[in-house]
Amino acid sequence: MSTVGTVRVIFVSKRNSLRSVLAQACLEHIGGERFAALSCGSPKHLASEIHPAALGALASARMRPPLGIPTSWEKLKEQAAGRATFIITLDDKTFEEQPAWPGQPDTALWSMPDVAALGDPEKTAYGAIQALYALRRRLELFVNLPLAKGDRVSLRADVRDLGTMR
């Protein structure tokens, strides 16, 4: 892990339409210039657009949504944008299906419910707000970890432990 420069984090979820979008926007909002956040999803399940519930949750929190459309992990890897310090995956199944990432980044599973699959717009909107607040709590702790000078093994364990927060 570099002692200088930007900490690059890629958030991964199944469709890259809600959970990973919320995480990316939240880290961009609270992380400042020390962090670069991206998000992506499985090429097999990729959404065509950001979920309206994600946009609504971000608007209610006064956070800007990421620019662009959902991206597959294959595209990130092709663009060399896949070089990251951390890969944080937001669901179990996608964690198991991911390819090897260039540069051997540290990985963590922060499993969150797939509220985009609920089918009920009200429940999905509520679930998106809950997910955003849960992610924000984790990311506020994450940005305060000693990323540049900490022991890599301990740091990896700390990032993984954030995934168990409720």
Side-chain angles (χ1 to χ4, degrees):
M1 185 172 316
S2 170
T3 57
V4 295
T6 304
V7 177
R8 295 177 57 93
V9 181
I10 296 175
F11 296 99
V12 183
S13 65
K14 184 176 182 176
R15 289 174 294 279
N16 187 218
S17 67
L18 198 143
R19 295 170 289 182
S20 53
V21 169
L22 295 175
Q24 177 184 352
C26 191
L27 183 56
E28 288 173 347
H29 182 77
I30 64 174
E33 294 180 11
R34 289 181 41 225
F35 295 88
L38 294 168
S39 64
C40 64
S42 166
K44 296 185 291 189
H45 303 286
L46 198 63
S48 60
E49 61 186 16
I50 295 174
H51 197 287
L55 296 173
L58 292 171
S60 74
R62 293 190 169 97
M63 292 182 193
R64 279 189 308 220
L67 298 176
I69 59 172
T71 305
S72 76
W73 55 55
E74 293 301 325
K75 188 170 183 177
L76 277 188
K77 285 176 60 179
E78 286 171 18
Q79 297 173 341
R83 284 225 179 261
T85 311
F86 295 98
I87 305 291
I88 299 175
T89 306
L90 302 168
D91 64 74
D92 300 16
K93 188 166 175 79
T94 303
F95 187 72
E96 297 166 8
E97 295 173 352
Q98 285 181 71
W101 288 92
Q104 299 180 334
D106 289 324
T107 61
L109 174 63
W110 292 4
S111 191
M112 305 200 78
D114 186 3
V115 297
L118 292 175
D120 177 337
E122 284 187 38
K123 288 182 180 177
T124 301
Y126 178 76
I129 290 170
Q130 294 299 106
L132 179 58
Y133 287 121
L135 286 163
R136 184 174 186 136
R137 283 190 302 272
R138 292 175 187 181
L139 289 168
E140 285 172 343
L141 294 169
F142 174 77
V143 300
N144 286 297
L145 290 172
L147 299 172
K149 54 189 172 209
D151 166 50
R152 186 168 176 168
V153 173
S154 297
L155 185 57
R156 183 181 310 128
D158 289 344
V159 173
R160 289 178 177 167
D161 286 348
L162 290 174
T164 63
M165 288 182 62
R166 294 283 175 226

